[in-house]
Coordinates of all heavy atoms in Angstrom, one line a residue:
M29 N 166.2 330.3 41.2 CA 166.4 329.1 40.3 C 165.2 328.1 40.6 O 164.9 327.8 41.8 CB 167.7 328.5 40.6 CG 168.1 327.4 39.6 SD 169.8 326.8 39.8 CE 170.8 328.1 39.4
S30 N 164.7 327.6 39.6 CA 163.5 326.7 39.8 C 164.0 325.3 40.3 O 165.1 324.9 40.1 CB 162.8 326.5 38.5 OG 163.5 325.8 37.5
K31 N 163.0 324.6 40.8 CA 163.3 323.2 41.4 C 163.8 322.3 40.3 O 164.7 321.5 40.5 CB 162.1 322.7 42.0 CG 162.2 321.4 42.7 CD 161.0 320.9 43.3 CE 161.2 319.5 43.9 NZ 160.0 319.0 44.6
E32 N 163.2 322.4 39.1 CA 163.5 321.5 38.0 C 165.0 321.8 37.5 O 165.7 320.9 37.1 CB 162.5 321.6 36.8 CG 161.2 321.1 37.2 CD 160.3 322.1 37.9 OE1 160.7 323.3 38.0 OE2 159.3 321.7 38.5
M33 N 165.3 323.0 37.5 CA 166.7 323.4 37.0 C 167.8 322.8 37.9 O 168.8 322.4 37.3 CB 166.8 324.9 37.0 CG 168.1 325.4 36.4 SD 168.4 324.9 34.7 CE 167.4 326.0 33.8
I34 N 167.6 322.8 39.2 CA 168.6 322.2 40.1 C 168.7 320.7 39.8 O 169.8 320.2 39.7 CB 168.2 322.5 41.5 CG1 168.4 324.0 41.8 CG2 169.2 321.8 42.5 CD1 167.9 324.5 43.1
G35 N 167.6 320.0 39.6 CA 167.7 318.6 39.3 C 168.4 318.3 38.0 O 169.1 317.4 37.9
I36 N 168.1 319.2 37.0 CA 168.7 319.0 35.7 C 170.2 319.3 35.8 O 171.0 318.5 35.2 CB 168.1 319.9 34.6 CG1 166.7 319.4 34.4 CG2 168.9 320.0 33.4 CD1 165.8 320.4 33.5
L37 N 170.6 320.3 36.6 CA 172.0 320.5 36.8 C 172.7 319.4 37.5 O 173.9 319.0 37.2 CB 172.2 321.8 37.5 CG 171.9 323.1 36.8 CD1 172.0 324.3 37.7 CD2 172.8 323.2 35.6
L38 N 172.1 318.8 38.5 CA 172.6 317.6 39.1 C 172.8 316.4 38.2 O 173.8 315.7 38.2 CB 171.8 317.2 40.3 CG 171.9 318.1 41.6 CD1 170.8 317.8 42.6 CD2 173.3 318.0 42.2
L39 N 171.8 316.2 37.3 CA 172.0 315.2 36.3 C 173.1 315.4 35.3 O 173.8 314.5 34.9 CB 170.6 315.0 35.6 CG 169.5 314.2 36.3 CD1 168.3 314.2 35.5 CD2 170.0 312.8 36.7
A40 N 173.2 316.7 35.0 CA 174.4 317.1 34.1 C 175.7 316.9 34.8 O 176.6 316.4 34.1 CB 174.2 318.6 33.7
L41 N 175.8 317.2 36.0 CA 177.0 316.9 36.8 C 177.3 315.4 36.8 O 178.5 315.0 36.6 CB 176.9 317.5 38.2 CG 178.0 317.2 39.2 CD1 179.3 317.8 38.6 CD2 177.7 317.7 40.6
A42 N 176.3 314.6 37.0 CA 176.5 313.2 37.0 C 177.0 312.7 35.7 O 177.9 311.9 35.6 CB 175.2 312.4 37.4
G43 N 176.5 313.2 34.6 CA 176.9 312.8 33.3 C 178.4 313.3 33.0 O 179.2 312.5 32.4
F44 N 178.7 314.5 33.5 CA 180.1 315.0 33.4 C 181.1 314.0 34.1 O 182.1 313.7 33.6 CB 180.1 316.4 33.9 CG 181.5 317.0 33.8 CD1 182.0 317.5 32.6 CD2 182.3 317.2 34.9 CE1 183.2 318.0 32.5 CE2 183.5 317.8 34.9 CZ 184.0 318.2 33.6
L45 N 180.7 313.6 35.3 CA 181.5 312.8 36.1 C 181.6 311.4 35.5 O 182.7 310.8 35.5 CB 181.0 312.7 37.5 CG 181.1 313.9 38.4 CD1 180.3 313.8 39.7 CD2 182.5 314.2 38.7
I46 N 180.6 310.9 34.9 CA 180.7 309.6 34.2 C 181.6 309.7 33.0 O 182.4 308.7 32.7 CB 179.3 309.1 33.8 CG1 178.5 308.7 35.0 CG2 179.3 307.9 32.8 CD1 177.0 308.4 34.8
G47 N 181.6 310.8 32.3 CA 182.6 311.0 31.3 C 184.0 311.0 31.8 O 184.9 310.5 31.2
G48 N 184.2 311.5 33.0 CA 185.5 311.5 33.6 C 185.9 310.1 34.0 O 187.1 309.7 33.9
V49 N 185.0 309.3 34.4 CA 185.3 307.8 34.7 C 185.7 307.2 33.4 O 186.7 306.4 33.4 CB 184.0 307.1 35.2 CG1 184.2 305.6 35.3 CG2 183.7 307.7 36.6
Y50 N 185.0 307.4 32.3 CA 185.4 306.8 31.0 C 186.8 307.2 30.6 O 187.5 306.4 30.1 CB 184.3 307.2 30.0 CG 184.6 306.6 28.7 CD1 184.3 305.2 28.4 CD2 185.1 307.3 27.6 CE1 184.5 304.7 27.2 CE2 185.4 306.8 26.4 CZ 185.1 305.4 26.2 OH 185.3 304.9 24.9
A51 N 187.1 308.5 30.8 CA 188.4 309.0 30.3 C 189.5 308.5 31.2 O 190.7 308.3 30.6 CB 188.3 310.5 30.3
T52 N 189.3 308.3 32.5 CA 190.4 307.9 33.3 C 190.6 306.4 33.7 O 191.5 306.1 34.3 CB 190.4 308.7 34.7 OG1 189.1 308.4 35.3 CG2 190.4 310.2 34.4
W53 N 189.6 305.6 33.2 CA 189.6 304.2 33.6 C 190.9 303.5 33.2 O 191.4 302.7 34.0 CB 188.4 303.5 33.0 CG 188.3 302.1 33.5 CD1 188.6 301.0 32.7 CD2 188.0 301.6 34.8 NE1 188.4 299.9 33.5 CE2 188.0 300.2 34.8 CE3 187.6 302.3 36.0 CZ2 187.8 299.5 35.9 CZ3 187.4 301.5 37.1 CH2 187.4 300.1 37.0
K54 N 191.4 303.7 32.1 CA 192.6 302.9 31.6 C 193.9 303.4 32.3 O 194.8 302.6 32.5 CB 192.8 303.0 30.1 CG 191.8 302.2 29.4 CD 192.1 302.2 27.9 CE 191.1 301.3 27.2 NZ 191.4 301.2 25.8
S55 N 193.9 304.6 32.8 CA 195.2 305.1 33.3 C 195.2 305.2 34.8 O 196.2 304.7 35.5 CB 195.5 306.5 32.8 OG 194.5 307.4 33.1
V56 N 194.2 305.7 35.5 CA 194.2 305.9 36.9 C 192.8 305.3 37.4 O 191.8 306.0 37.6 CB 194.3 307.4 37.3 CG1 194.4 307.5 38.8 CG2 195.4 308.0 36.6
K57 N 192.8 304.0 37.8 CA 191.6 303.3 38.2 C 191.1 303.9 39.5 O 189.8 304.0 39.6 CB 191.8 301.8 38.2 CG 192.0 301.2 36.9 CD 191.7 299.8 36.9 CE 192.2 299.1 35.6 NZ 191.4 299.2 34.5
L58 N 191.9 304.2 40.4 CA 191.4 304.7 41.7 C 190.7 306.0 41.5 O 189.6 306.2 42.1 CB 192.6 304.9 42.7 CG 192.2 305.5 44.0 CD1 191.3 304.5 44.8 CD2 193.4 305.8 44.9
M59 N 191.2 306.9 40.7 CA 190.5 308.2 40.4 C 189.2 307.9 39.7 O 188.2 308.6 40.0 CB 191.3 309.1 39.6 CG 190.7 310.4 39.3 SD 190.2 311.4 40.8 CE 191.8 312.0 41.3
A60 N 189.1 306.9 38.8 CA 187.9 306.6 38.1 C 186.9 306.1 39.1 O 185.7 306.4 38.9 CB 188.2 305.6 37.0
I61 N 187.3 305.3 40.1 CA 186.3 304.8 41.1 C 185.8 306.0 41.9 O 184.6 306.0 42.2 CB 187.0 303.7 41.9 CG1 187.3 302.5 41.1 CG2 186.2 303.4 43.2 CD1 188.2 301.5 41.8
V62 N 186.6 306.9 42.3 CA 186.2 308.1 43.1 C 185.2 308.9 42.2 O 184.2 309.3 42.7 CB 187.4 308.9 43.5 CG1 187.0 310.2 44.1 CG2 188.3 308.1 44.5
L63 N 185.5 309.1 41.0 CA 184.6 309.9 40.1 C 183.3 309.1 39.9 O 182.2 309.7 39.9 CB 185.2 310.1 38.7 CG 186.4 311.1 38.7 CD1 187.0 311.1 37.3 CD2 185.9 312.5 39.0
G64 N 183.3 307.8 39.8 CA 182.1 307.0 39.7 C 181.2 307.1 41.0 O 180.0 307.2 40.9
L65 N 181.9 307.1 42.1 CA 181.1 307.3 43.3 C 180.5 308.7 43.4 O 179.3 308.8 43.8 CB 182.0 307.0 44.6 CG 182.4 305.6 44.8 CD1 183.5 305.5 45.9 CD2 181.3 304.7 45.0
A66 N 181.2 309.7 43.0 CA 180.7 311.0 43.0 C 179.5 311.1 42.0 O 178.5 311.8 42.2 CB 181.8 312.0 42.6
A67 N 179.6 310.4 40.9 CA 178.5 310.4 39.9 C 177.3 309.8 40.5 O 176.2 310.2 40.2 CB 179.0 309.7 38.6
L68 N 177.5 308.7 41.2 CA 176.3 308.0 41.8 C 175.7 308.9 42.9 O 174.4 309.0 43.0 CB 176.8 306.7 42.5 CG 177.1 305.6 41.6 CD1 177.6 304.4 42.4 CD2 175.8 305.2 40.8
V69 N 176.5 309.7 43.6 CA 175.9 310.6 44.6 C 175.1 311.7 43.9 O 174.0 312.1 44.3 CB 177.0 311.2 45.5 CG1 176.5 312.3 46.3 CG2 177.6 310.1 46.4
A70 N 175.7 312.3 42.8 CA 175.0 313.3 42.1 C 173.7 312.8 41.5 O 172.7 313.5 41.5 CB 175.9 313.9 41.0
A71 N 173.7 311.6 40.9 CA 172.5 311.1 40.3 C 171.5 310.8 41.4 O 170.3 311.1 41.2 CB 172.8 309.8 39.5
G72 N 171.9 310.3 42.5 CA 171.0 310.0 43.6 C 170.4 311.3 44.2 O 169.2 311.4 44.5
A73 N 171.2 312.3 44.2 CA 170.7 313.6 44.7 C 169.7 314.2 43.7 O 168.7 314.8 44.1 CB 171.9 314.6 44.9
A74 N 169.9 314.0 42.4 CA 169.0 314.5 41.4 C 167.6 313.8 41.6 O 166.6 314.4 41.5 CB 169.5 314.3 40.0
V75 N 167.7 312.5 41.7 CA 166.4 311.7 41.9 C 165.7 312.2 43.2 O 164.5 312.4 43.1 CB 166.7 310.2 41.9 CG1 165.5 309.4 42.3 CG2 167.2 309.8 40.5
A76 N 166.5 312.3 44.3 CA 165.8 312.7 45.5 C 165.3 314.1 45.4 O 164.2 314.4 46.0 CB 166.9 312.7 46.6
W77 N 165.9 315.0 44.6 CA 165.4 316.3 44.4 C 164.1 316.4 43.7 O 163.2 317.1 44.0 CB 166.5 317.2 43.7 CG 166.2 318.6 43.7 CD1 165.5 319.3 42.7 CD2 166.6 319.6 44.7 NE1 165.5 320.6 43.1 CE2 166.1 320.8 44.3 CE3 167.3 319.5 45.9 CZ2 166.3 322.0 45.0 CZ3 167.5 320.6 46.6 CH2 167.0 321.8 46.2
F78 N 164.0 315.5 42.6 CA 162.8 315.4 41.8 C 161.7 314.8 42.6 O 160.5 315.2 42.5 CB 163.0 314.7 40.5 CG 163.7 315.4 39.5 CD1 164.8 314.9 38.8 CD2 163.3 316.7 39.1 CE1 165.5 315.6 37.9 CE2 163.9 317.4 38.1 CZ 165.0 316.9 37.5
V79 N 162.0 313.8 43.4 CA 160.9 313.1 44.2 C 160.4 314.0 45.4 O 159.2 314.0 45.7 CB 161.4 311.8 44.7 CG1 160.4 311.1 45.7 CG2 161.7 310.8 43.5
G80 N 161.4 314.6 46.0 CA 161.1 315.4 47.2 C 160.5 316.7 47.1 O 159.9 317.3 46.3

């Protein structure tokens, strides 16, 4: 698997998690916060992967 593909998959994961935040925000705020943190980690990992 190429280096770019892994970064793109991490960005896709971050987007998927942000969608989960949007979907769960009104009903389960704690889960939305956890998903948001996971999205930040995935996006940060993607940026680090592209830079490094």
